[in-house]
Amino acid sequence: MTDAERSTHDLLVALAGRLPDDVLWRLRDWLAAGAHQPLAAMLTRELLRHRLGLTDDERALLVAGAGEWGASRRLLEAVLPLDGPPHCEVVFRSGPDAPDAAALSVLGVVRGHPGCVELRQAWRAGPRGDQRVLVVHGGERPWELTGTLQRVLRAHGDRTPCVEVLPAHGEPPAYHQAAIIGSAPLWTASRSPRDAVAAGR
């Protein structure tokens, strides 16, 4: 893993719920595909377009990723500052108990990906209806796992897949805390093999 890819993944995680879904999934798709220069240009433009501010830590991630991949220094410096972490006013719910075909397809990928320890699913209320949000804890090369899971969801008809791959440990941002609280577990690595098989049915 490279520092620039890790930094950009962490920044895109932090921007969940702040950038529109149709922008965020595309940026994550480009990161997974290694399209670094287009990503760097689009990310800085979208931050300015939506007037999104960044904390000092988030700005450091932006410079370590987009700055490394050729983003305009002038545009980087024009991104607004943010004094503290953003609040989350989004409502999540767990949804139906039985996983659908999309969730089962995602489950098959997550269980086979090194380092993953948990998969959760929530539904986020919005003006266009409910949006599925997947939260994965752990996983090596998380930007690649994100891209893979996004493609799985798009194959099942989700035009703006929301996939949040978080570190196995540590406190997640407010948006992800709300998603976790409102979610239902689909799989955890601590289950017995029999339970894991049953969860995949």
Side-chain angles (χ1 to χ4, degrees):
M1 94 181 44
T2 70
D3 290 341
E5 286 168 324
R6 166 62 73 177
S7 296
T8 303
H9 172 79
D10 290 348
L11 177 58
L12 295 179
V13 166
L15 292 174
R18 294 156 68 186
L19 276 177
D21 293 340
D22 59 342
V23 173
L24 194 57
W25 91 261
R26 177 63 68 186
L27 291 169
R28 289 170 168 174
D29 186 61
W30 286 353
L31 178 60
H36 297 147
Q37 292 181 340
L39 183 157
M42 181 178 177
L43 175 55
T44 50
R45 287 199 305 268
E46 292 295 333
L47 289 171
L48 294 171
R49 175 186 174 194
H50 295 282
R51 299 188 61 79
L52 289 181
L54 298 181
T55 65
D56 289 343
D57 289 343
E58 291 169 348
R59 184 176 296 275
L61 294 174
L62 178 67
V63 172
E68 180 72 17
W69 294 326
S72 163
R73 179 177 296 274
R74 177 179 60 83
L75 295 182
L76 289 173
E77 293 175 351
V79 174
L80 298 172
L82 186 65
D83 292 336
H87 301 288
C88 177
E89 300 179 357
V90 182
V91 176
F92 296 90
R93 62 177 180 81
S94 59
D97 293 334
D100 60 6
L104 292 176
S105 297
V106 165
L107 177 60
V109 175
V110 171
R111 287 192 305 189
H113 190 87
C116 291
V117 298
E118 186 179 43
L119 170 65
R120 305 185 72 87
Q121 177 177 262
W123 294 86
R124 188 192 66 210
R128 299 181 180 177
D130 289 347
Q131 170 66 50
R132 185 197 310 264
V133 178
L134 296 176
V135 180
V136 181
H137 283 94
E140 296 177 8
R141 301 184 69 83
W143 55 92
E144 292 183 355
L145 176 59
T146 300
T148 298
L149 297 181
Q150 287 187 157
R151 288 189 287 274
V152 169
L153 290 178
R154 281 180 62 83
H156 284 274
D158 190 340
R159 299 184 63 184
T160 56
C162 296
V163 178
E164 308 300 326
V165 181
L166 308 176
H169 306 287
E171 184 174 350
Y175 175 89
H176 300 87
Q177 291 182 33
I180 292 167
I181 291 171
S183 68
L186 294 179
W187 170 81
T188 60
S190 59
R191 290 181 179 175
S192 69
R194 179 180 299 175
D195 289 339
V197 170
R201 290 177 183 169

